[in-house]
Amino acid sequence: MTSLAALPAFLAHFLAGLALLGAAFLIFTKVTPHDEMALVRTGNLPAAVALGGSVIGVALAIASAVSHSAGLVDAVVWAVVALLAQLGAFLATAWLLPEWRAAIERSEMATAALKAAVAIAVGLLNAAAMVP
C-alpha cells in the first residue's frame, strides 16, 4: 500500500486549494457592490450564474497551480497570482459593462452569462499559462 504514502501531500494540497477557493469566493462577494448570496437565496439566477462563473474560473486556475507546483508554498503563491488575474478580469468586465449591477439585480441573464463566460475563459487561460 505504498500509494497511501502520498495521502498527506494530497490532503495538504487539497485543503490549501479549498481554503484558497473559499478566500476567492469571499473576495469576489466583497468586491461586488451588491450581496450576491442574498440575490441567489431569493432565486436570482443571473446572480448565481455570474458568481458561479467566477468560482469556476478561479477554481480552474487554482487547480492548475496545485497540479503544476513544486510544493505547497509554490502552489499557494501561484494560486494567489491566479486570483489576482481573475480579479483583474472581473474588474475589466465590470468596467466594460457599467450597468452590470443593475442588470443582475433586475434578473437579466445576458450580462450574467457574459460575466461568467469571461471569468471561465480567463480561468482557462490562467491555468494554461502555468507551465512547469
Side-chain angles (χ1 to χ4, degrees):
M1 289 256 161
T2 59
S3 61
L4 289 179
L7 186 60
F10 161 79
L11 288 172
H13 283 80
F14 182 68
L15 293 174
L18 284 177
L20 288 161
L21 185 60
F25 182 84
L26 289 175
I27 290 168
F28 277 112
T29 57
K30 295 300 178 197
V31 298
T32 56
H34 52 261
D35 186 348
E36 287 180 316
M37 288 307 298
L39 291 171
V40 170
R41 286 186 187 105
T42 63
N44 185 307
L45 182 58
V49 168
L51 183 58
S54 294
V55 171
I56 292 168
V58 78
L60 289 165
I62 290 171
S64 183
V66 169
S67 68
H68 290 104
S69 68
L72 186 58
V73 172
D74 192 43
V76 170
V77 168
W78 281 105
V80 170
V81 169
L83 174 58
L84 293 173
Q86 293 298 120
L87 281 171
F90 170 82
L91 294 172
T93 306
W95 180 76
L96 289 171
L97 300 167
E99 296 296 320
W100 71 273
R101 174 185 175 193
I104 288 176
E105 288 174 352
R106 289 190 305 263
S107 292
E108 295 175 8
M109 189 58 116
T111 300
L114 180 60
K115 284 182 68 48
V118 168
I120 293 168
V122 170
L124 283 169
L125 292 172
N126 207 345
M130 290 185 211
V131 293

